[in-house]
Amino acid sequence: MNQQVITKTNITNYLYSKGFQVTILNPLATNLFRKAQTLRKTKTDKTDAKVIATMLFTDESKSYSPVSYQIQELKSLTRHRHRMVSYRSRLKLSVSRLIDIIFPELPSLFWSIHQSSGYALLIELPTPDSIYNCNLTKLTNLIRMTSKGKYSKEKAIALKELAIKSIGSSNRSL
């Protein structure tokens, strides 16, 4: 939840708890109401105040009632999940971009480079040179364990062959 929404919620809950009648107006509805009331295209603080007062008198607004604690928590968790999914997507794009620089042939060997065996391989052996220089038994065990037996010695041999022919950069800083 962004700071503006938190502040608005805090102020509204505070005023409601002190006995004030709180009314929340949708800015889009206010704008449409203003346009329906006049043909002039002027928008000033004075006209805005008049439109808001008119809306309050015509009872086109809805009165505030506090939202249940569970609904507020659910909204907050949903927004947080959305941010985390977005963040994860950006990180995956970043990893894909780096793999294109370091070892562009690697994705052809896995159904997805973002699976646990692909990440484990990159953590342990981040460059084509390190894969090529790695002991075949160690490489086989690494990809067999992290893929839960899906990948075997044949995949490790293919991986070493790709590493030999790779056009990627062996710059460990990337």
Side-chain angles (χ1 to χ4, degrees), residues 8 12 22-31 33 48-64:
K8 182 183 82 163
T12 358
V22 179
T23 303
I24 297 177
L25 298 175
N26 184 338
L28 296 175
T30 307
N31 187 32
F33 188 81
D48 285 346
K50 184 177 178 183
V51 166
I52 290 170
T54 306
M55 283 183 75
L56 289 171
F57 281 121
T58 59
D59 201 29
E60 300 234 352
S61 58
K62 61 179 182 181
S63 187
Y64 171 78

Side-chain angles (χ1 to χ4, degrees), residues 9-74:
T9 304
N10 289 344
I11 290 172
T12 358
N13 288 337
Y14 175 77
L15 290 173
Y16 188 79
S17 71
K18 294 298 180 188
F20 288 95
Q21 181 183 351
V22 179
T23 303
I24 297 177
L25 298 175
N26 184 338
L28 296 175
T30 307
N31 187 32
L32 290 175
F33 188 81
R34 179 182 57 82
K35 287 180 180 177
Q37 296 297 314
T38 181
L39 295 175
R40 293 185 180 176
K41 294 188 184 231
T42 57
K43 184 183 177 312
T44 64
D45 289 343
K46 186 176 177 180
T47 57
D48 285 346
K50 184 177 178 183
V51 166
I52 290 170
T54 306
M55 283 183 75
L56 289 171
F57 281 121
T58 59
D59 201 29
E60 300 234 352
S61 58
K62 61 179 182 181
S63 187
Y64 171 78
S65 59
V67 179
S68 73
Y69 172 75
Q70 292 88 358
I71 297 294
Q72 285 180 337
E73 287 293 311
L74 187 59

